[in-house]
Amino acid sequence: MDQIAVAMEATQRRQKLSSNGGASETTEEPAGQWGRAWEVDWFSLSAVILLLCTAPFLVFFFVMVCDQYQCSVSQPLVELYSGEATLRSIWDKAPSFTWTTAQIYTVWVSFQVVLYMCVPDITHKFLPGYAGGVQDGARTPAGLINKYEINGLQSWLITHALWYANAQYFHWFSPTIIFDNWIPLLWCTNLLGYAVSTFAFVKAYLFPTNAEDCKFTGNVFYNYMMGIEFNPRIGKWFDFKLFFNGRPGIVAWTLINLSYAAKQQELYGYVTNSMILVNVLQAIYVLDFFWNEAWYLKTIDICHDHFGWYLGWGDCVWLPFLYTLQGLYLVYNPVQLSTAHAAAVLLLGLVGYYIFRSTNHQKDLFRRTEGKCSIWGKKPTFIECAYRSGDGGLHHSKLMTSGFWGVARHLNYTGDLMGSLAYCAACGFGHIHPYFYIVYMTILLVHRCVRDEHRCSSKYGKDWKRYTDAVPYRLLPGIF
Ligand code: NDP
């Protein structure tokens, strides 16, 4: 309970800070606006409750339609409308929870915990340019800088080497194991997703890792969904955000795709070029994530989001099931693309990836060198800004106005969206099912852009306005 008192005190201190105003024109905004909201308006609350109630069913729907309706999204709705099917009959046909799947999933998650906690990174010692091992995170709102053991790439490599060794030599289990247990795995991932979110929620009240970085609102649903603790940890090194976002979800992403490819091979005797494209493009994205895991410590997920259901359940369920819809679709609908179509998809995916990676790289380089670098062959231009952290400390920062960051304020999202569209387009135009991903990513990234800009505006005040005057567009120059 002392911890709650400390957190409340921190809250009051922030509020006092904000009402006192700042020491300079750039610090007049409330430090308490950093991170997620302190107060919940009715719109946010309705959205939170709607998401809590519908998201698990949405995931079930997209997986179930493949299992029962060959990935037709409209067919179950038509059957429900005409009375041919009922919610009960659909539910009854879905494979249920099995203890065998629970064992498989327990082994999987435990293995990832062991790799994360017990195998310190050695890859950074022999891979030139790779930043692994112990790394600093960004400053938290309370002014702390956490340390992280970055060993995601190593975990990914070990896991995939074992997968390969099993598929080629040992044959302990079938490479289609993930596909064959897909819906029972959905129940297991939900159990973990809800357990970890609930644990993080209770932990925030009883034994938070850093009480000064907790945010409480009067609304229990909002607290549960958006999280209270900023960087919950068990012990010194088990960081919830880094573990759940990176592993088991993102390590699994490429294995899930490989399992889908293996299923195509088993069912049809060949693997389609669309399946290969989806596997390759998504593997580039996943490997990029792990290669740049240290950079990920500076992204919004780690720097600004609190750990609640949104991240906990999202990482365990939403990500592995909905980010892999294209591969799932292609198992049921083995699309073979014309050479021109396949080349266009590959080009879109690679150009999208180039923009995404280069934009992120430019910001990382710019921030690491404090602007003393070369962007597109020139010294970068920038706007100097200042802000206050929750402990009252005054800090300085820079917002770059050249390179990709001078073209639009979030061209990394634009590149990400181009890549996402390429995955969907690889599935042809037979069904809308695989296109859910681009719709979702557009909503996610546009919302994220607006949310981030609101936060930056609160953090940097008038300096942010100077930046948006200098770079007026968000995602598409001249349009948005
Ligand atoms: P960014 O990496 O774009 O980070 C935004 C932050 O960068 C801002 O809050 C601000 O932080 C700083 N910043 C903003 N403008 C500038 C500038 N001009 N110069 C220097 N710094 C600036 O956002 P995300 O963390 O959301 O995304 C990282 C990547 O991850 C993106 O490429 C995105 O596409 C991807 N992503 C993918 C998701 C997926 O599900 N596949 C989900 C979310 C993200 P500060 O307070 O430090 O100034």
Side-chain angles (χ1 to χ4, degrees):
M1 289 295 129
D2 278 358
Q3 311 274 27
I4 298 176
V6 175
M8 299 303 279
E9 196 188 304
T11 308
Q12 282 155 11
R13 191 139 53 83
R14 287 190 187 97
Q15 281 162 349
K16 202 162 153 222
L17 252 172
S18 81
S19 60
N20 284 348
S24 74
E25 69 162 24
T26 52
T27 58
E28 65 193 12
E29 296 296 336
Q33 284 303 308
W34 196 351
R36 74 152 168 80
W38 286 97
E39 281 168 18
V40 193
D41 56 63
W42 68 268
F43 179 77
S44 305
L45 182 60
S46 319
V48 159
I49 293 177
L50 187 74
L51 268 177
L52 278 171
C53 297
T54 56
F57 294 103
L58 199 66
V59 179
F60 174 73
F61 177 78
F62 276 100
V63 178
M64 177 281 295
V65 291
C66 282
D67 188 50
Q68 296 182 28
Y69 294 93
Q70 205 79 12
C71 303
S72 163
V73 172
S74 55
Q75 190 62 24
L77 303 177
V78 171
E79 285 194 10
L80 281 172
Y81 182 72
S82 66
E84 257 180 83
T86 60
L87 288 177
R88 185 60 204 250
S89 69
I90 289 175
W91 184 261
D92 285 346
K93 269 193 257 166
S96 55
F97 173 88
T98 69
W99 284 107
T100 310
T101 315
Q103 280 168 7
I104 295 170
Y105 192 59
T106 308
V107 169
W108 165 250
V109 177
S110 310
F111 181 57
Q112 291 306 314
V113 173
V114 169
L115 290 179
Y116 176 60
M117 291 298 288
C118 310
V119 191
D121 188 70
I122 55 158
T123 47
H124 69 280
K125 296 191 177 152
F126 58 84
L127 284 176
Y130 170 64
V134 177
Q135 300 282 336
D136 284 343
R139 190 181 301 282
T140 72
L144 281 182
I145 294 190
N146 286 310
K147 294 217 172 287
Y148 295 82
E149 171 71 38
I150 297 298
N151 59 3
L153 182 66
Q154 177 174 277
S155 303
W156 188 91
L157 289 170
I158 294 174
T159 308
H160 284 70
L162 284 174
W163 180 273
Y164 179 79
N166 171 68
Q168 292 296 316
Y169 308 110
F170 299 119
H171 309 296
W172 295 315
F173 54 83
S174 162
T176 61
I177 187 170
I178 304 178
F179 175 88
D180 294 338
N181 290 280
W182 203 218
I183 294 190
L185 275 169
L186 179 59
W187 309 138
C188 301
T189 52
N190 264 286
L191 278 175
L192 182 67
Y194 277 97
V196 76
S197 316
T198 309
F199 177 76
F201 178 75
V202 174
K203 177 181 174 311
Y205 285 94
L206 299 182
F207 50 102
T209 303
N210 178 28
E212 291 232 341
D213 270 328
C214 287
K215 268 191 178 181
F216 294 90
T217 63
N219 193 283
V220 73
F221 293 110
Y222 191 81
N223 287 346
Y224 184 73
M225 166 104 174
M226 297 307 289
I228 299 169
E229 275 205 81
F230 195 65
N231 289 124
R233 286 187 171 202
I234 292 180
K236 196 171 164 206
W237 292 105
F238 190 85
D239 185 87
F240 278 53
K241 270 190 203 167
L242 191 64
F243 178 76
F244 282 102
N245 191 63
R247 329 58 177 290
I250 300 189
V251 177
W253 188 345
T254 33
L255 291 185
I256 295 165
N257 280 343
L258 286 173
S259 184
Y260 291 151
K263 195 68 194 179
Q264 259 200 351
Q265 178 70 43
E266 183 189 290
L267 288 175
Y268 312 109
Y270 60 91
V271 177
T272 60
N273 59 359
S274 51
M275 180 67 94
I276 294 170
L277 269 175
V278 167
N279 265 263
V280 168
L281 290 176
Q282 295 191 346
I284 293 174
Y285 193 77
V286 167
L287 265 170
D288 174 276
F289 174 85
F290 286 118
W291 182 268
N292 295 291
E293 199 179 15
W295 153 84
Y296 173 71
L297 300 179
K298 310 281 159 74
T299 63
I300 293 173
D301 285 353
I302 300 270
C303 294
H304 302 295
D305 285 342
H306 291 240
F307 188 86
W309 183 88
Y310 166 73
L311 285 179
W313 181 87
D315 293 339
C316 290
V317 184
W318 186 273
L319 190 152
F321 281 87
L322 294 189
Y323 283 34
T324 58
L325 280 184
Q326 289 78 32
L328 181 68
Y329 173 85
L330 292 171
V331 173
Y332 293 92
N333 303 275
V335 174
Q336 185 67 23
L337 301 172
S338 67
T339 310
H341 188 150
V345 167
L346 185 63
L347 189 68
L348 179 66
L350 293 180
V351 172
Y353 172 73
Y354 172 76
I355 295 175
F356 160 84
R357 172 53 28 225
S358 309
T359 310
N360 286 325
H361 173 72
Q362 284 184 354
K363 188 187 84 175
D364 185 46
L365 179 69
F366 170 78
R367 281 278 168 95
R368 259 191 297 118
T369 58
E370 301 201 338
K372 295 181 192 73
C373 58
S374 167
I375 302 286
W376 289 352
K378 285 192 221 137
K379 261 189 94 196
T381 55
F382 54 84
I383 287 172
E384 290 273 6
C385 346
Y387 63 94
R388 279 190 191 280
S389 52
D391 60 5
L394 180 64
H395 308 278
H396 295 274
S397 189
K398 295 178 172 64
L399 293 169
M400 185 169 34
T401 51
S402 57
F404 282 115
W405 295 86
V407 178
R409 301 201 292 271
H410 265 297
L411 226 54
N412 49 349
Y413 291 178
T414 313
D416 208 342
L417 289 174
M418 288 166 70
S420 306
L421 183 61
Y423 312 155
C424 304
C427 298
F429 305 108
H431 282 286
I432 57 166
H433 178 272
Y435 288 84
F436 170 78
Y437 187 66
I438 183 64
V439 174
Y440 158 72
M441 282 299 282
T442 306
I443 296 170
L444 174 89
L445 292 179
V446 169
H447 176 254
R448 199 174 171 95
C449 182
V450 171
R451 192 162 63 102
D452 182 51
E453 299 220 336
H454 176 70
R455 190 194 60 75
C456 286
S457 162
S458 299
K459 182 175 170 183
Y460 295 124
K462 286 182 183 156
D463 290 335
W464 183 254
K465 173 83 176 63
R466 286 168 55 212
Y467 173 56
T468 56
D469 287 345
V471 187
Y473 292 101
R474 292 180 172 113
L475 296 178
L476 289 174
I479 300 174
F480 175 67

